[in-house]
Amino acid sequence: MYIERVPNRNSPPAVLLRESWRENGKTKKRTVGNLSSLPDETVEAVRSALKGDVVPAALAIAEPKKRLEITNVRQHGHVAAVVAIIKRSGLLQAIDRKPSRQRDIVVAMIADRLLHGDSKLATARHCQKETAATTLGELLSLEDLDEHECYRAMDWLLARQESIQKKLAGKHLEDGGPVLFDLSSSYFEGHTCPLAKHGYSRDKRGDLPQVNYGMYCNALGLPVGVEVLAGNENDHVAFPKAVKRVRDDFGRKSVIFVGDRGMISGKAIDEYLRDEEGAQWITALKSGSIAKLQRQGAIQRSLFDERDLVSITHRDYPDERLIVCRNPLLADERARKREALLVATEKLLAKVKAKVDRKRNPLRGKSEIGVEVGKAVNRKKVAKHFQIEITDDRFEYSRNQEKIDVEASLDGLYTIRSNVDATRMSAEQVVAHYKNLASVERAFRSLKSIDLRVRPINHRLADRVRSHIFICMLAYYTEHQLRELLGGLMVVEIGRASCGERV
């Protein structure tokens, strides 16, 4: 913001408080307020304050003998909003009905995780009177907080995790409604934590150990619980624990489990859901199963002449319905990516062939040539789409067009499988619930990004890691509640922005 004096012909100039911004490469500005009626001393005081200068009282008020000096400024508004939403959402009562210092420290760690995403030591410094930049410590009467109290409060919170999750599930999970569950991971910088194991890294950091954690959400993507696992425990270990947690701890005997094709596989359905009363599921078929249905004639392109969604039944899936969907945009994107990968692989193979065919120091030996070819075709993971011929002194390659055409015929197709009765839930509703898994992925992105920063994980004890991830989940719960509360305001602001105003 800045102050601008605008000439006004024969009248005194207008003194305007304005703000400016850049939009599409152009500088735009708007008037925030008219200061023309204020004394010059006050206007100059405002101008100095906008520049960050210490404003003498002689320029701000009519008593020149007094001097105004800013000695301490603490941010308050966003801190008060976060603490208020924790109380308003009922999370405070879910943590513990009785007021206590431990409960206040937990609230401080949740709020600070949402506001700054720093370590517990930083949380203590953000609350202490001497180092605080916000009013968090003052609001919660924690201006004498130290990091050791934070660690003890984490242990206190972990002992109450099951009770808290049960309360949240009772409040937000409908009996007989869907429960979304998905798994993610975060890497460790250290190696001393018992949970830190090498496994499939969703962070693309296979060089570091990691911890896995699964999130329980309702149909709206609101988290109600988290499951922390060792880094080498995958979906096949996580899902049975999730089923037990929802049915026993959350008390939801009648529930629809929603998970991706890796989480709720055919084997998982047979072992953990099919014989359980009240247990239903919504998941997807793997590409191999879809290809098998196509070979058997159960899926044909003619099914999508009028609609991009159709329900079928098949003997391999008794008492279930398969909802086959076609997304033309996804089909075009997959075709484009496949062609790009094939072209890139052909360039790599051409270099290998050039080594074999060169006259000076050519590459020789079937095994040596095979190693180079393997590196080339596996780099883009399209080896199945090439026909390779290797001898001791010769190498030829070509595209396997038949396999490419078979894969292309499945472009844009995905199949949802579910045992939820059609009279209770339409095909469109089933697909919508499956797509709601994106809200769990959104929660994971929020945890890992600048919002909550679950990593780096600065703890080495397994229980502290579990408590840390639980605090991050509660922070996302607060963020979700805040987004819901501000949803109407955000829509209004976006509408104003479309009319040329600044958001």
Side-chain angles (χ1 to χ4, degrees):
M1 288 186 180
Y2 62 96
I3 292 176
E4 183 176 1
R5 292 182 180 270
V6 181
N8 196 9
R9 293 186 180 181
N10 298 325
S11 301
V15 182
L16 303 178
L17 178 63
R18 288 182 164 177
E19 65 175 350
S20 62
W21 69 95
R22 294 188 66 83
E23 184 176 308
N24 297 326
K26 296 182 180 180
T27 302
K28 296 188 176 183
K29 61 183 179 180
R30 71 170 179 176
T31 300
V32 178
N34 191 333
L35 309 182
S36 303
S37 61
L38 298 178
D40 290 341
E41 295 84 358
T42 304
V43 172
E44 291 304 318
V46 174
R47 188 195 302 275
S48 299
L50 292 174
K51 292 180 180 180
D53 298 335
V54 175
V55 184
L59 298 178
I61 58 178
E63 301 180 21
K65 293 183 179 180
K66 294 184 178 180
R67 301 188 64 83
L68 177 65
E69 183 178 355
I70 300 174
T71 58
N72 187 14
V73 176
R74 295 186 182 182
Q75 300 175 358
H76 174 70
H78 61 309
V79 179
V82 171
V83 173
I85 200 67
I86 292 175
K87 296 178 179 179
R88 176 173 175 172
S89 65
L91 180 58
L92 188 68
Q93 295 297 316
I95 294 172
D96 193 4
R97 292 184 177 277
K98 296 180 180 180
S100 65
R101 185 172 175 85
Q102 289 97 330
R103 188 181 73 170
D104 292 337
I105 295 173
V106 169
V107 172
M109 289 189 289
I110 294 172
D112 195 65
R113 175 60 48 181
L114 188 57
L115 296 169
H116 301 103
D118 290 330
S119 65
K120 308 305 178 293
L121 174 60
T123 299
R125 290 175 176 172
H126 292 159
C127 290
Q128 292 168 1
K129 187 175 182 179
E130 297 80 4
T131 55
T134 70
T135 58
L136 180 61
E138 182 180 347
L139 285 173
L140 298 172
S141 301
L142 296 175
E143 293 182 299
D144 58 343
L145 179 65
D146 66 71
E147 65 273 18
H148 300 291
E149 284 190 288
C150 291
Y151 297 139
R152 290 193 291 270
M154 290 176 69
D155 298 337
W156 177 85
L157 176 67
L158 187 65
R160 305 186 60 80
Q161 179 175 354
E162 290 190 10
S163 172
I164 295 169
Q165 292 185 160
K166 187 174 182 180
K167 292 176 183 177
L168 295 179
K171 181 177 181 180
H172 298 291
L173 292 183
E174 298 180 5
D175 190 29
V179 175
L180 314 179
F181 183 76
D182 203 1
L183 199 68
S184 190
S185 61
S186 288
Y187 57 83
F188 278 82
E189 296 292 349
H191 295 78
T192 59
C193 179
L195 295 174
K197 304 291 183 182
H198 285 276
Y200 172 67
S201 177
R202 295 161 181 83
D203 297 332
K204 308 301 181 184
R205 291 301 305 269
D207 58 318
L208 294 175
Q210 64 179 18
V211 61
N212 288 331
Y213 46 90
M215 189 91 74
Y216 303 90
C217 296
N218 66 3
L220 299 177
L222 183 68
V224 297
V226 68
E227 197 79 44
V228 180
L229 309 168
N232 58 352
E233 295 182 341
N234 55 19
D235 295 345
H236 304 296
V237 177
F239 185 65
K241 292 184 178 181
V243 173
K244 187 176 186 303
R245 178 81 65 188
V246 172
R247 292 176 64 82
D248 295 345
D249 296 348
F250 295 172
R252 292 293 183 265
K253 299 298 183 182
S254 179
V255 65
I256 303 172
F257 290 95
V258 184
D260 60 28
R261 57 190 182 182
M263 181 67 64
I264 308 181
S265 61
K267 182 178 180 181
I269 290 174
D270 293 336
E271 292 184 358
Y272 308 115
L273 296 180
R274 194 175 296 279
D275 296 329
E276 295 292 332
E277 184 180 356
Q280 297 178 299
W281 58 86
I282 297 175
T283 184
L285 293 183
K286 296 182 179 181
S287 57
S289 300
I290 298 175
K292 181 180 178 181
L293 292 174
Q294 187 186 48
R295 290 194 300 270
Q296 295 173 348
I299 297 178
Q300 302 175 13
R301 285 285 177 177
S302 59
L303 295 173
F304 306 102
D305 289 343
E306 297 182 0
R307 298 181 64 194
D308 289 331
L309 180 150
V310 63
S311 295
I312 64 174
T313 58
H314 194 271
R315 61 180 180 275
D316 292 344
Y317 305 93
D319 302 322
E320 294 183 69
R321 52 177 168 155
L322 304 178
I323 304 170
V324 188
C325 309
R326 180 178 181 274
N327 186 332
L329 297 178
L330 180 61
D332 294 341
E333 179 64 13
R334 286 185 175 174
R336 184 194 65 78
K337 285 186 176 181
R338 179 171 50 252
E339 181 62 24
L341 293 174
L342 291 173
V343 171
T345 302
E346 286 176 331
K347 290 181 179 179
L348 296 175
L349 292 174
K351 293 180 181 180
V352 178
K353 182 171 175 56
K355 292 180 181 180
V356 176
D357 294 343
R358 65 192 176 192
K359 294 182 179 180
R360 187 175 180 179
N361 192 24
L363 181 63
R364 289 291 181 263
K366 188 174 183 179
S367 59
E368 287 77 6
I369 297 174
V371 170
E372 294 294 322
V373 172
K375 291 179 181 179
V377 296
N378 290 324
R379 185 171 179 179
K380 304 296 182 180
K381 304 187 185 302
V382 289
K384 62 182 178 181
H385 293 324
F386 284 92
Q387 293 176 331
I388 305 295
E389 184 180 347
I390 302 175
T391 64
D392 288 335
D393 58 357
R394 182 170 168 270
F395 164 53
E396 300 292 340
Y397 66 92
S398 62
R399 292 189 183 188
N400 189 332
Q401 196 59 45
E402 182 179 352
K403 287 188 176 180
I404 294 175
D405 293 339
V406 170
E407 184 179 275
S409 66
L410 298 176
D411 285 349
L413 294 182
Y414 60 97
T415 302
I416 310 298
R417 65 179 295 189
S418 176
N419 68 334
V420 181
D421 192 84
T423 59
R424 178 183 176 187
M425 190 177 294
S426 67
E428 289 80 2
Q429 290 174 320
V430 172
V431 174
H433 279 304
Y434 183 78
K435 289 184 177 181
N436 282 342
L437 282 173
S439 61
V440 187
E441 297 174 359
R442 189 181 306 116
F444 288 140
R445 287 195 298 271
S446 182
L447 259 65
K448 295 181 181 184
S449 67
I450 60 174
D451 291 354
L452 302 176
R453 288 188 284 191
V454 66
R455 59 180 186 232
I457 299 177
N458 299 305
H459 304 283
R460 60 182 181 85
L461 301 179
D463 282 349
R464 294 277 169 79
V465 172
R466 292 188 177 95
S467 184
H468 166 71
I469 294 176
F470 185 46
I471 288 172
C472 291
M473 186 224 86
L474 296 178
Y476 182 73
Y477 176 92
T478 304
E479 178 183 322
H480 193 284
Q481 295 279 3
L482 192 58
R483 288 181 183 275
E484 290 293 319
L485 182 64
L486 298 177
L489 296 177
M490 294 173 68
V491 170
V492 171
E493 292 296 337
I494 291 173
R496 290 179 179 173
S498 65
C499 297
E501 294 191 19
R502 180 172 181 257
V503 179

